[in-house]
Amino acid sequence: MIQIKDLHKSYKMGKNSLHVLKGINFNVEEGELVAIMGSSGSGKSTLLNILGMLDSSDSGEYILDNVPIKDLNETKAARYRNKFLGFVFQSFNLINYKSAAENVALPLYYQKVPRKERQEKALKYLEQVGLKEWAGHLPSELSGGQKQRVAIARALAAEPKVLLADEPTGALDSKTSYEVMDLIQKINDAGNTILIVTHEPDIADMCKRIVHLKDGVIIEDKKIEQVRAEQYV
Amino acid sequence: MWILDRDLWSEIFATLGKNLFRTFLTMLGVIIAMIILVLLLGGANGMSNGFQKIFAGTASNSLFVWSQSTSEPYKGFERGRRIQFKLEDATILKEQIPEIEVLAPRIELGSHRGVVTVYRNGLTSGSAVYGDYPNIDEIMKKKLVEGRFLNENDMTESKKVCVIGEETYKLLFEKGEKAIGEDVRINGVFFNIVGIYKPNQNINIDGENSVYIPFSTFQKAFGSGDRMGWMAISVKSDAKVPVVESQIKRLLKNKYDINPIDERAIGSFDMSEVFNNVKAFTGVLQGVSFFVGILTLLAGVIAISNILLITVKERTKEIGIRRALGATPKVVKRQIVLESIVITVFAGFVGFAIAVGFLAIANNLIGDNSDMPFYNLMISIPQFLVSFILMVGLSVLIGLIPANRAIRIKPIDALREE
Ligand SMILES: Nc1ncnc2c1ncn2[C@@H]1O[C@H](COP(=O)(O)OP(=O)(O)OP(=O)(O)O)[C@@H](O)[C@H]1O
Ligand SMILES: [Mg+2]
């Protein structure tokens, strides 16, 4: 699903240049649930943003679902994001004046899905995250966990190839975190490829594979026995 | 067609509706600008209409010619000789100058602009008394309150009839008293009143207190012979009044042995000049109103652009989210520009409605009878269309500023966790 070869990224700040990713190589197969770990500043978000086409790399190869991702302009990147990727952020990033259902339907709007179908799909995915009754509510009327579930429903709505989540449980307490992880595991069970950035070991243990970053390189990449979140909720 | 895309519009209205108060404040500038534009234009148009109403009935392509005294010696004549037109002059002029459409000879009792005492039942009025041809009505239309104006029959039969002004009526009659059919006495001769006219409020060549009798009757009653006081002349629509004016003067100067350089001997007044001046004046006024109005509108639209610019900054995160979810720069740009247009057009209509309301009230207050040169204050459909097209055009151009700002927002920067 994802193939990355010798990925480099540095940030220029005035005269100095900060080399953040120093040659990343890794592949992700379809249906994997990968945790990306590492200390603060190790380049986790940078890597995820490049995978999400929100940022570009300096050099290296990136192939997503057999499509080489290169020479991206803003329009092309937007189309690819819409078609291939779903995002879940630490701070949810829901649009605050839109209801849960409208938020979920938004990526479909950009896919030019007809209105009725969009509404149906939005409800379907809200149901999947257990929030069908909350469809008409604004984000401000939802708890943190509920907001993150709406965000996950939104990421799923466009039926992306890969779900990218940057610290999806970072703003949640442990109980709510496990609920969200339970949901993510179930989505993964259904066959979705998911990458999660986290620095909480218990969250990482709920994935199927852990990739450890340090100083811009992968120092460890291991498959693990998944801990089911179900038992904690 | 994206313009019919219901979702696009609901997106836009959702964004605008989420902060109604700010949207309203944003619109205020354009609302006020539109009110100013429409009121200015309406006022200028009203003035133009007002002048048109004042001039209604007076042929715009007309002139008046009268005789005075010479100011230059010529062919053995001393200066200061009094010129007296004869009725035959009218015939000669009509024959020799084909550009003349209507020529109405007139004679006045007493000296020029002098008054004569008119008697009735012990009441008196100091009025101007004119002997007129009925065709004077084609050049200076009289607004009749009652009865009729002089006609051809009065002329040929030299009837002792007269048409009096409303002022004259007020002096000679009690309020509400019937005047048609009554007699008045002028220099010992009785005249039967056949009509009362209302003075044309503002153009008043004849004065407000006048009595008109047929020219032929005048000749017989007052023994004026073939003398003629002055002429009201209208020229054909394809002719220029100043040209005809100088032709007439040349001819008359020749006939009466007046020095060609004598400017005083024959007096004349070119009505078309007044018309042209007024037209030019109201035209300039309309132009200035339009210009000022459009500038105000520009200021209003710039205010919208400014507020949208602030909104775009505030919405950086939202725009970033949309971009991450797949909104292309084009889509973002279109949305912001459309927001600009929607606010502007809506505000424009609101301002327009308010201003038209004001104009309607003003029209009601001014009404038909007014000393003010204002009438029917309203903006014309072309003016309305031009203003609206300009407004929408401006809103597109100026909406592009915040729109371009919005597409420079990179989703990665917008979404970076603080
Ligand atoms: N836009 C940027 N400009 C300059 N430096 C940046 C930028 N984004 C990230 N960095 C730097 O790159 C390094 C890696 O950042 P990154 O956000 O990828 O770290 P991270 O692993 O996600 O850390 P955390 O766990 O704290 O989120 C950091 O040192 C950061 O300061
Ligand atoms: Mg990070």
Side-chain angles (χ1 to χ4, degrees), chain B residues 237-272:
Chain B
S237 55
D238 54 352
K240 292 247 180 305
V241 173
V243 176
V244 178
E245 184 181 14
S246 61
Q247 273 177 296
I248 290 171
K249 281 193 176 172
R250 204 177 318 124
L251 216 146
L252 290 172
K253 278 179 184 171
N254 191 30
K255 180 164 187 277
Y256 289 101
D257 294 321
I258 300 165
N259 191 330
I261 60 159
D262 193 336
E263 291 296 331
R264 275 246 300 276
I266 298 172
S268 65
F269 181 75
D270 178 355
M271 210 55 203
S272 72

Side-chain angles (χ1 to χ4, degrees), chain A residues 74 82 93 98 115 118, chain B residues 7 11 317-318 323 325:
Chain A
E74 294 282 348
N82 190 241
N93 283 340
K98 285 180 176 290
R115 186 183 186 80
R118 237 164 41 215
Chain B
D7 298 317
E11 272 296 300
K317 185 126 191 168
E318 178 202 325
R323 293 290 308 280
L325 295 180

Side-chain angles (χ1 to χ4, degrees), chain A residues 33-51:
Chain A
L33 176 55
V34 184
I36 299 169
M37 292 200 73
S39 54
S40 189
S42 57
K44 305 182 295 291
S45 296
T46 305
L47 176 60
L48 204 74
N49 287 336
I50 291 171
L51 292 177

